[in-house]
Amino acid sequence: MAGIELDRISKHYGDTVILEELSLAINEGELVVLVGPSGCGKTTILRMIAGLLEPSRGRIRIDGRDVTETLPGERDIAMVFQSYALYPHMTVFENVAFPLRVRRLAPGEISRRVNEVTKLLGIDHLLGRKPAALSGGQRQRVAMGRAIVREPKAFLFDEPLSNLDAALRGRMRGEIAGLHRRLGATMVYVTHDQHEAMTLADRLVLLNKGKIEQMGRPLDVYREPKTRFVAEFIGSPPMNFVPVEERAGSLAGAGFAVPLSAVGVKSGVPGGRLLLGVRPEALKVATSGEALPTLKAEIDWIERTGSDGYLYARVGPTSIVARLSAAAGQGLSPGQRVDLSFSQARLFDEVSGRAVDDAGVA
Amino acid sequence: MSRPRLLLRLAAYGVLVLTALVVLSPIYAVLVMAFSRAPGFSVVVAPDWSTFTLDHVKGFLSTHDAEGRWLFGRQLLNSVVVSGGATLVGVLFATSAGYAFSRFKFPGHRAGMVGFLVTQMFPGTMMIVPLYLIINALGLVDTVAGLVAVYATTALPFCVWMLKGYFDTIPIDLDEAALIDGASRVRVFYQVLLPLARPAIAVTALFSFLGAWNEFILAATLLSREEKFTLPVTLYRHIGAYGADWGAFAAGSIIVSIPVCVLFLFLERHLVGGLSAGAVK
Amino acid sequence: MRRGLVIGGLAVATLSCLSRLGQAAEVVLWHSYRAGEMEALDRTVDRFRHEHPDTKVRVLAVPYGAYQQKLISAIPAGHGPDLFIAAHDQLGDMIRRELIEPVPAALASAQFLDETLRPLAVGAVQGIAAGAAGPATPGRSWGWPMAFKTLVLFYRTDLVATPPATTDGMIEIAHALTRPGRFGLAYNLAEFYFHAPWYFGSGAELLSADGLSARIESEAAAASGAFLRRLVLEERVVPTDANGALVTEMFNRGQVAMVVNGPWFISEIDRGVPWKIATLPRMSASDRPARPLLTVEGLFVAKGRATPETVGLAEALVSDSAARIRALEGGQPVANRAAYDDPEVAARSVLGTFRAQLEQTVPMPTAPLVALLWEPLNEALRQISRGALAPKVAFAAAASRVRVLNQPLPESESAAPFVLGLLLLLCGALAVAVWRRPPRFVARLLAARAAYAFLLPTAIGMTLLVAVPFLMGLGLGFFAFGPGEVRFVGFANFVSIITAAEYPVTHPLSFYFTLVVTVLWTVANVLLHVGIGFALALLLSPAWLKGRGLFRVLLILPWTIPNYITALVFKGLFNAQFGAVNAVLVALGLSPVGWFDGFWPAFAANVVTNVWLGFPFMMVTLLGALQAIPQDLYDAARVDGAGAWQRFVGVTLPQVGPALLPAVILGTIWTFNMFNIVFLVSEGQPEGSTDILVTEAYRWAFVRNGRYGYAAAYSTIIFVILVLYSLVTRRLVAPRSEARV
């Protein structure tokens, strides 16, 4: 097992810049999820780690060894593709055995390891089949088996679950997490699905336009997004943003004002336009006499899913969403005015998109 | 797919049967010429089977040279060796080149592909004399190797285009997966892409074989020992300066065509079918 | 590396020298005989082997179609024969190309018939400076006469009691025997060779005495044309569309009583047919004997191969005793006097008749100019026998055509400015390439090492065997080849072709007419290939169709048959009087068509042939493309309410397009250059109007006196046209998916 280090790597295609001076250190045994919207460069990073792409500048090290010019096959990493990339003309056994055959292992050793791995993944009864005769989930497992069987230094996952249906996706997610626990291997996982990112990651790296927007433990990123982009990308439904202005130590919006302390900022708030960021799950319908800061809103409509519900409302001209417990929504109806209180919020500079906290504008 | 109405289906069969008849009638004419004693073509409509004979066929099969060697046997062997060799070399070269054109981007990529097309544009009859000079300079006149080289290269442009196109349809993920699994480029090529490109390889092989098997002008120019001749050269000998032995020519035509027909029969499924099952989805 | 190559080259050279040494005592003999003549020759060679066990003799029967070309290429390259048998009319060409030696020893001229010796004598060859082979000593010769070929009158004794002495008598007999489906007389009307007896019998001549100008426009020539007209159109005793094979067949079936033909015809007559031969009748109009052309088959010594062994074998082969074997077993009219005194030979009245006819023959001219006469003369004969032109007009047209074909070579030009220009152009191109090279060119070149490794074998093969001959072909277009000389002429060939000054654009022999025909030919074929191929592919793809495999195999069959076979078979099928196509038309109550008499029918015959052999390629390509279309798309279209036609246009066509396009482009190029079909089926008839550019180029190179430069210029123009075509469709041709990695 080994760490992976990206040292100021850049990737250009002609005049198009995909990545610029990006550095990232992945620790041994860590499961890092690269997440971001499409075109953010996350797959490019993964392919550069794999050796399928060469960085225009910068170095890549695996386990301390510079592998920037090393061929993919000599980096001792395994990759699971979105398409699974199973060899259609080989049986499951042959597929899983392929990397071992390439390394000229003894046939006995190969079949021992293939059997072991396929048993672990629960596909040992499929060994004689060809990929065409497998279900999506089975193919996924074969692809994982092919990766695991080599006992590589690191695993790379390129959106491995996006071709599965929702139920299967959940289960496979669990299996990958379990695998990571069991193998203790370094894993780099690329996805555009923030849910996968949150549940799987030891550390989450959020990319945007070829730059790291923020990284950290998933919950830290969730709680303390450093930019509006992060705040919007992580969390579902996304964070609400309400325009406010700083007026004499408090933040004033459309028909409401909250103290600066409500966003954890003491002083030094810049002038100009600000956004109050409140997550839907932090909002509650205020009961009278409550001490928490509140927003004045008018209800548009209410959605109930049984276990909980969503309240869609407007604060002045701004639409917001609040997540309600099943009981909390009782008795509310569209058109009604309510006070929505919040326990937690963050302040963002509207122009730069950066969070405003104690250190001033970041 | 649902079956269309009976009438439509019958119409489809009708058209097919009719086309098949039209297509087969000239072949029938050749059969009549080969197996009847009457020379010429007018026998076609109402063949006179009382003149049935196997003489033409026997004559073609049992040629011997002055030293008593069985010429037909040797020439058949030559044809097989030359066509087989040309196919093997041609397909080997073409798959490798097709792979390069499909999987790499390199200076000269476009020029190369266009170049292949361009070579098809210069009339072949004008190439014969220069080709002879080159083959002669290489010391390959009258050798199987010379003919194999010429046939293999003349088939290359089509084969490379065909294979490049087919390789393009094979997801590049497979190459990458294999590369990451530790396979070399060469291994990726022969263990992953080649098995998957079998249908295209079958087609190109058939094409190369066909071209080599049926060619006679170059063969007649480049070979000068009767025991080295390929079958079409012998076949064409039945058309002489002052007349033609049509019966022998027809018999020879049939004998020369049979192996190709058999090959087509075997490869026909490959020829048409793709390896759609099991491809990455 | 380089040193290794040099050493390797030396090794190869040494080895080939050694192997040549080892073969010193072998004598190689080439001929293009078939059947009986071949067997008889082999017998005489065997006898020689028996008597000279030290000399190894290798005999090669070269197919006639490739014989001349093979001699031209193999002898100078050192792979040719020591001795070879060829017709004397090639003599001029062979001397100019320095393929042969004069026969070394003085000939025992008394041994051979004078008529066969004369055409081979040094000094007798027209258009060649007498000094080319030393002084014209009497008795010195270019080769030994082996046998001669000329025309006589074959007749069925069950139909004709006594052969006619005059042409009027011949017509009278023929008239009496001619009725529907039967003719009194038949011969191959399309070839001047068979008309020659009447032509020379009328007193006409082909060339002036010095062999430098054509004499085909004369009253006497017109008179021979009038005789032809009488035979075919007035008396109607000769079938108009009988080629060699048909003449044979009709004679065997008793559908024709008399045939003008040569000795080769004997072996084609069925056993049981009662026949005899006679000398050709006297021409009633001119009161001169009909005089056919004479071809002497000579035995020639290849340049520089006059070793004692070679001469020894030659003398054995032309000896009286060998001639006797060839006469008796091969049925050859041999050149040796003594053979005819042999009682067994004398018992063969056939050989005697040939010898008698020999005295009334005209030797085939050897002047280079004569090669240009056949095409125009054949055309004139076709016009006359179709009644399209009056004999006089037809011969006048032929004469003017000869003048066009026989234009003097363009002036020689200095090559220096061209070489300089070419160098400048190359340097310029290189400079531009270096100047405009993409960024990081060298780095990318290095990065693509792996790709080049995969390409290397193909690149070497293509360079050596495609690019180099191709460049040689391009280069030839700047030279002119005349009798015995090669000149650099710059762009003169191209200018001459493109200005096409000899004929108006609408004339079938104009370059632009040919170009239009070529385009028409290509468009018609490709459309039909794709149309029929597509229709059949659609018919063959539904799953409910039973016997799909069978139909597919049957429909692919035309692809498997060599195209020259197909062409020859279709040529027969389209024969106007005897072909199956017309037989079917008649059976359907339609009137038969003279397929090669008019432009459109001839063009149609070509197209039908080419469509027959070409549609399977498109069908298979499209079948594959159709099968690759996901069923989902059809289902989706069906759900969207699309009808069958809309599904075809909206789903099938766009999905099939990417596969179809390259096939169409390749098909276009192949069809544009499809030589065999046009050359063998319509042969350019009528009047060369159905010729396409490649066949025209071929004629310049191999039919009209070896004007290779002109032919190469033609080929270059064809090439340029196709390149322009592909540039126009370039956007479509460009590889759709750029290479990845």
Side-chain angles (χ1 to χ4, degrees):
Chain A
M1 296 304 140
I4 299 170
E5 196 184 332
L6 306 181
D7 185 2
R8 287 180 295 160
I9 53 169
S10 304
K11 182 74 194 173
H12 307 157
Y13 289 106
D15 293 337
T16 319
V17 178
I18 306 292
L19 294 175
E20 190 66 56
E21 299 268 320
L22 185 139
S23 294
L24 175 66
I26 296 161
N27 299 321
E28 200 173 312
E30 193 179 22
L31 198 168
V32 168
V33 175
L34 304 180
V35 67
S38 60
C40 69
K42 56 189 190 297
T43 299
T44 307
I45 294 174
L46 197 74
R47 292 167 64 83
M48 285 198 290
I49 297 173
L52 298 173
L53 280 180
E54 219 178 306
S56 307
R57 275 197 306 276
R59 315 301 301 172
I60 298 169
R61 280 179 281 273
I62 296 177
D63 208 5
R65 187 168 67 105
D66 189 326
V67 295
T68 317
E69 264 101 46
T70 309
L71 291 174
E74 291 161 15
R75 296 186 181 199
D76 202 7
I77 36 111
M79 181 156 163
V80 177
F81 290 77
Q82 180 175 9
S83 64
Y84 316 136
L86 300 181
Y87 311 121
H89 56 298
M90 299 184 194
T91 61
V92 168
F93 180 92
E94 288 165 336
N95 262 286
V96 177
F98 184 78
L100 303 180
R101 289 226 171 108
V102 171
R103 286 175 175 71
R104 297 176 199 284
L105 263 61
E109 172 74 2
I110 291 177
S111 59
R112 190 187 61 75
R113 276 167 71 171
V114 171
N115 285 327
E116 195 180 296
V117 167
T118 48
K119 194 164 284 170
L120 176 81
L121 291 165
I123 48 172
D124 47 336
H125 59 295
L126 303 171
L127 288 179
R129 293 213 199 151
K130 293 221 171 138
L134 301 179
S135 70
Q138 289 167 335
R139 289 183 199 181
Q140 228 282 315
R141 286 195 173 87
V142 176
M144 302 241 292
R146 194 173 63 188
I148 296 167
V149 78
R150 284 170 47 194
E151 299 169 5
K153 283 184 184 153
F155 290 90
L156 309 177
F157 293 89
D158 186 8
E159 311 215 13
L161 304 182
S162 57
N163 282 338
L164 298 179
D165 61 57
L168 205 53
R169 202 180 303 160
R171 222 170 68 213
M172 290 309 299
R173 205 162 57 219
E175 286 192 23
I176 291 174
L179 209 62
H180 178 234
R181 273 197 306 279
R182 189 157 32 195
L183 300 175
T186 312
M187 291 183 174
V188 185
Y189 190 108
V190 161
T191 181
H192 62 267
D193 178 354
Q194 51 126 341
H195 200 67
E196 263 171 42
M198 292 298 290
T199 50
L200 278 174
D202 288 338
R203 188 149 55 111
L204 188 148
V205 177
L206 210 162
L207 291 152
N208 184 30
K209 293 177 185 160
K211 293 205 173 88
I212 296 179
E213 197 81 17
Q214 186 171 358
M215 62 181 166
R217 292 187 306 158
L219 279 180
D220 293 348
V221 175
Y222 172 78
R223 286 199 195 106
E224 292 173 7
K226 286 194 179 139
T227 63
R228 180 180 174 183
F229 176 83
V230 177
E232 265 182 321
F233 195 85
I234 302 289
S236 166
M239 186 181 263
N240 300 300
F241 298 96
V242 182
V244 290
E245 270 171 25
E246 198 257 297
R247 251 180 239 150
S250 72
L251 297 166
F256 69 92
V258 294
L260 272 176
S261 62
V263 293
V265 181
K266 292 193 181 82
S267 62
V269 178
R273 292 186 294 181
L274 297 169
L275 292 172
L276 180 68
V278 190
R279 292 207 176 273
E281 47 275 34
L283 286 167
K284 269 196 313 203
V285 180
T287 46
S288 52
E290 194 153 359
L292 289 171
T294 55
L295 305 173
K296 306 240 177 267
E298 184 183 339
I299 299 174
D300 279 341
W301 81 92
I302 297 165
E303 227 176 54
R304 291 178 206 285
T305 60
S307 58
D308 51 8
Y310 294 97
L311 184 148
Y312 295 86
R314 267 176 294 131
V315 177
T318 315
S319 297
I320 61 163
V321 189
R323 186 167 174 182
L324 306 174
S325 66
Q330 298 295 331
L332 296 175
S333 56
Q336 196 179 340
R337 292 185 165 276
V338 287
D339 285 353
L340 295 173
S341 66
F342 57 92
S343 53
Q344 205 182 20
R346 263 177 101 69
L347 192 61
F348 297 90
D349 183 276
E350 193 182 343
V351 180
S352 70
R354 293 183 186 275
V356 180
D357 54 20
D358 272 345
V361 178
Chain B
M1 195 194 273
S2 62
R3 286 150 59 105
R5 274 166 301 158
L6 182 71
L7 209 64
L8 268 173
R9 272 183 290 150
L10 283 181
Y13 281 114
V15 172
L16 281 175
V17 168
L18 209 69
T19 318
L21 282 181
V22 170
V23 162
L24 291 181
S25 52
I27 297 172
Y28 172 70
V30 178
L31 283 172
V32 170
M33 270 197 284
F35 292 107
S36 71
R37 222 177 291 276
F41 294 96
S42 67
V43 283
V44 169
V45 178
D48 178 6
W49 287 113
S50 66
T51 59
F52 178 84
T53 174
L54 285 175
D55 289 355
H56 298 311
V57 177
K58 276 191 208 139
F60 194 86
L61 291 180
S62 62
T63 45
H64 287 78
D65 70 359
E67 281 140 68
R69 291 176 295 199
W70 184 36
L71 277 182
F72 175 79
R74 279 165 184 267
Q75 291 167 351
L76 176 67
L77 188 71
N78 291 339
S79 269
V80 170
V81 170
V82 167
S83 313
T87 308
L88 202 71
V89 174
V91 168
L92 214 67
F93 284 21
T95 43
S96 136
Y99 172 67
F101 276 111
S102 170
R103 292 315 201 221
F104 295 89
K105 190 153 178 61
F106 51 86
H109 183 276
R110 214 185 121 68
M113 289 308 284
V114 173
F116 281 128
L117 195 67
V118 164
T119 60
Q120 304 288 296
M121 301 177 183
F122 201 74
T125 38
M126 295 296 116
M127 306 272 277
I128 294 174
V129 175
L131 263 180
Y132 183 91
L133 294 177
I134 291 165
I135 291 291
N136 183 43
L138 295 173
L140 293 177
V141 166
D142 223 359
T143 61
V144 167
L147 217 52
V148 165
V150 173
Y151 289 162
T153 44
T154 42
L156 270 178
F158 175 83
C159 295
V160 173
W161 264 77
M162 176 93 199
L163 284 163
K164 189 249 177 207
Y166 197 86
F167 284 139
D168 282 350
T169 67
I170 300 176
I172 197 148
D173 283 4
L174 292 181
D175 299 44
E176 296 181 340
L179 283 176
I180 291 173
D181 283 346
S184 63
R185 279 278 180 198
V186 175
R187 195 179 185 114
V188 172
F189 172 58
Y190 78 83
Q191 273 199 341
V192 177
L193 285 178
L194 280 195
L196 289 175
R198 269 198 312 243
I201 291 173
V203 174
T204 46
L206 192 61
F207 181 84
S208 314
F209 189 88
L210 194 70
W213 184 264
N214 289 346
E215 205 284 334
F216 98 92
I217 296 178
L218 273 170
T221 316
L222 294 178
L223 300 175
S224 42
R225 286 164 184 261
E226 201 165 20
E227 71 269 16
K228 290 253 165 105
F229 280 0
T230 53
L231 285 178
V233 179
T234 305
L235 176 59
Y236 211 71
R237 256 197 20 221
H238 293 286
I239 296 177
Y242 304 105
D245 185 352
W246 288 104
F249 181 75
S253 303
I254 290 167
I255 293 164
V256 169
S257 302
I258 282 174
V260 186
C261 291
V262 171
L263 264 185
F264 261 91
L265 223 85
F266 276 105
L267 290 180
E268 186 262 347
R269 215 161 303 133
H270 262 322
L271 204 66
V272 178
L275 196 73
S276 44
V280 176
K281 263 272 150 72
Chain C
M1 181 66 191
R2 187 170 297 169
R3 183 173 303 166
L5 278 180
V6 171
I7 292 173
L10 281 177
V12 168
T14 318
L15 274 178
S16 61
C17 279
L18 283 176
S19 63
R20 189 92 18 107
L21 278 180
Q23 293 172 356
E26 190 183 61
V27 182
V28 180
L29 168 69
W30 283 13
H31 66 87
S32 62
Y33 284 148
R34 297 185 292 131
E37 286 185 287
M38 179 169 87
E39 283 158 27
L41 181 72
D42 285 344
R43 270 281 315 275
T44 62
V45 172
D46 280 345
R47 236 178 35 150
F48 176 82
R49 285 194 183 110
H50 191 70
E51 289 160 12
H52 302 80
D54 302 342
T55 312
K56 216 175 156 254
V57 180
R58 202 148 57 75
V59 182
L60 178 73
V62 180
Y64 172 74
Y67 197 56
Q68 184 70 0
Q69 209 170 65
K70 205 167 158 66
L71 285 174
I72 292 170
S73 48
I75 291 178
H79 289 284
D82 299 294
L83 275 176
F84 62 95
I85 299 169
H88 83 272
D89 54 310
Q90 309 292 336
L91 205 48
D93 195 46
M94 293 192 295
I95 296 168
R96 278 200 308 279
R97 293 178 191 278
E98 302 196 349
L99 299 183
I100 55 173
E101 296 271 357
V103 171
L107 270 175
S109 47
Q111 190 188 344
F112 304 106
L113 297 166
D114 287 340
E115 290 87 349
T116 64
L117 264 177
R118 226 173 286 131
L120 298 176
V122 169
V125 181
Q126 295 165 315
I128 299 289
T137 338
R140 267 175 65 83
S141 170
W142 285 107
W144 293 272
M146 300 256 309
F148 63 90
K149 299 268 153 71
T150 192
L151 296 173
V152 292
L153 187 71
F154 289 75
Y155 61 98
R156 286 186 66 123
T157 49
D158 54 347
L159 297 172
V160 179
T162 9
T166 63
T167 50
D168 281 350
M170 179 176 78
I171 290 173
E172 195 178 314
I173 296 173
H175 218 91
L177 292 167
T178 300
R179 64 191 75 114
R182 284 170 181 275
F183 293 91
L185 176 70
Y187 64 91
N188 190 350
L189 287 180
E191 297 277 344
F192 177 80
Y193 183 80
F194 291 88
H195 178 75
W198 323 137
Y199 185 84
F200 295 113
S202 302
E205 50 189 356
L206 285 174
L207 298 172
S208 60
D210 58 5
L212 293 180
S213 50
R215 287 281 172 81
I216 59 176
E217 194 180 357
S218 68
E219 286 302 326
S224 80
F227 179 68
L228 169 65
R229 202 184 146 84
R230 185 171 162 215
L231 285 179
V232 178
L233 296 174
E234 289 158 20
E235 311 282 352
R236 295 176 182 275
V237 292
V238 177
T240 51
D241 204 15
N243 58 20
L246 273 167
V247 169
T248 311
E249 192 188 338
M250 294 176 74
F251 188 74
N252 281 335
R253 293 187 160 199
Q255 290 172 333
V256 70
M258 293 178 284
V259 162
V260 177
N261 222 328
W264 54 86
F265 186 63
I266 296 170
S267 66
E268 294 171 8
I269 302 174
D270 280 352
R271 239 165 286 159
V273 173
W275 62 275
K276 273 191 178 164
I277 67 172
T279 51
L280 292 168
R282 286 181 84 78
M283 299 287 291
S284 303
S286 65
D287 195 30
R288 279 189 255 207
R291 299 176 70 200
L293 281 164
L294 167 73
T295 313
V296 176
E297 275 158 5
L299 181 62
F300 299 100
V301 180
K303 194 81 183 167
R305 296 306 178 93
T307 61
E309 289 86 1
T310 307
V311 175
L313 174 63
E315 283 173 344
L317 293 181
V318 299
S319 68
D320 289 344
S321 54
R324 187 175 168 273
I325 294 177
R326 281 187 281 116
L328 288 175
E329 293 181 19
Q332 262 187 352
V334 292
N336 300 53
R337 275 175 206 283
Y340 296 91
D341 299 335
D342 184 275
E344 264 188 85
V345 176
R348 303 241 182 139
S349 62
V350 168
L351 293 175
T353 309
F354 274 107
R355 200 198 149 166
Q357 183 69 59
L358 175 65
E359 282 159 22
Q360 296 300 339
T361 53
V362 176
M364 184 73 91
T366 46
L369 180 57
V370 79
L372 296 181
L373 301 184
W374 308 133
E375 233 185 305
L377 281 174
N378 290 342
E379 193 51 48
L381 296 179
R382 268 196 294 270
Q383 303 274 23
I384 294 168
S385 59
R386 273 168 51 210
L389 290 179
K392 197 167 176 167
V393 182
F395 279 104
S400 88
R401 176 67 178 154
V402 169
R403 279 191 291 277
V404 169
L405 296 179
N406 191 34
Q407 277 168 357
L409 295 192
E411 288 301 308
S412 189
E413 285 209 31
S414 163
F418 279 84
V419 173
L420 204 69
L422 198 66
L423 278 178
L424 277 176
L425 209 67
L426 277 178
C427 290
L430 202 68
V432 169
V434 169
W435 178 255
R436 294 187 47 188
R437 72 185 187 281
R440 303 204 315 132
F441 181 75
V442 175
R444 283 175 53 206
L445 218 56
L446 285 175
R449 284 189 305 272
Y452 293 124
F454 277 102
L455 282 173
L456 192 67
T458 298
I460 292 176
M462 292 294 291
T463 307
L464 208 59
L465 296 175
V466 178
V468 171
F470 166 72
L471 290 176
M472 286 165 84
L474 284 189
L476 276 183
F478 295 90
F479 292 86
F481 292 70
E485 66 166 327
V486 180
R487 310 180 168 157
F488 183 84
V489 295
F491 286 104
N493 290 331
F494 297 94
V495 171
S496 158
I497 293 170
I498 295 199
T499 51
E502 300 89 1
Y503 293 103
V505 173
T506 50
H507 193 281
L509 295 171
S510 154
F511 168 75
Y512 291 98
F513 188 92
T514 311
L515 176 62
V516 170
V517 170
T518 311
V519 171
L520 207 63
W521 154 260
T522 309
V523 171
N525 274 301
V526 172
L527 280 183
L528 285 168
H529 283 160
V530 173
I532 294 175
F534 211 153
L536 288 175
L538 285 172
L539 277 175
L540 283 175
S541 42
W544 51 261
L545 190 86
K546 291 198 180 69
R548 264 196 299 180
L550 179 72
F551 278 120
R552 248 166 19 195
V553 170
L554 287 183
L555 293 175
I556 284 173
L557 276 181
W559 191 1
T560 67
I561 297 171
N563 63 16
Y564 59 91
I565 296 179
T566 306
L568 291 169
V569 169
F570 271 78
K571 170 94 183 152
L573 295 179
F574 279 112
N575 186 289
Q577 276 165 324
F578 312 99
V581 176
N582 275 354
V584 170
L585 287 183
V586 170
L588 293 175
L590 301 167
S591 56
V593 177
W595 287 100
F596 302 113
D597 290 344
F599 172 77
W600 289 110
F603 184 76
N606 283 345
V607 171
V608 166
T609 309
N610 199 43
V611 165
W612 186 83
L613 64 87
F615 79 86
F617 173 72
M618 289 291 175
M619 183 184 83
V620 170
T621 306
L622 286 164
L623 259 176
L626 284 177
Q627 288 188 350
I629 302 176
Q631 184 62 36
D632 292 2
L633 288 179
Y634 286 111
D635 293 344
R638 210 179 267 269
V639 170
D640 290 342
W645 175 250
Q646 284 164 315
R647 285 202 297 276
F648 177 73
V649 173
V651 178
T652 312
L653 274 185
Q655 290 286 314
V656 157
L660 186 57
L661 197 70
V664 166
I665 288 166
L666 268 183
T668 305
I669 293 169
W670 287 340
T671 312
F672 201 89
N673 282 340
M674 179 53 86
F675 172 81
N676 281 3
I677 302 309
V678 176
F679 193 74
L680 294 174
V681 177
S682 82
E683 301 172 8
Q685 290 173 40
E687 279 190 87
S689 61
T690 51
D691 261 324
I692 59 174
L693 291 174
V694 253
T695 55
E696 191 65 11
Y698 179 87
R699 285 185 211 285
W700 281 110
F702 298 110
V703 181
R704 298 168 189 158
N705 257 359
R707 302 271 302 266
Y708 295 118
Y710 209 73
Y714 243 92
S715 304
T716 305
I717 290 173
I718 292 171
F719 171 72
V720 169
I721 292 170
L722 286 173
V723 167
L724 288 179
Y725 159 78
S726 76
L727 282 180
V728 170
T729 49
R730 182 180 58 171
R731 220 166 290 155
L732 306 169
V733 182
R736 302 200 146 230
S737 51
E738 284 298 308
R740 293 151 286 186
V741 174

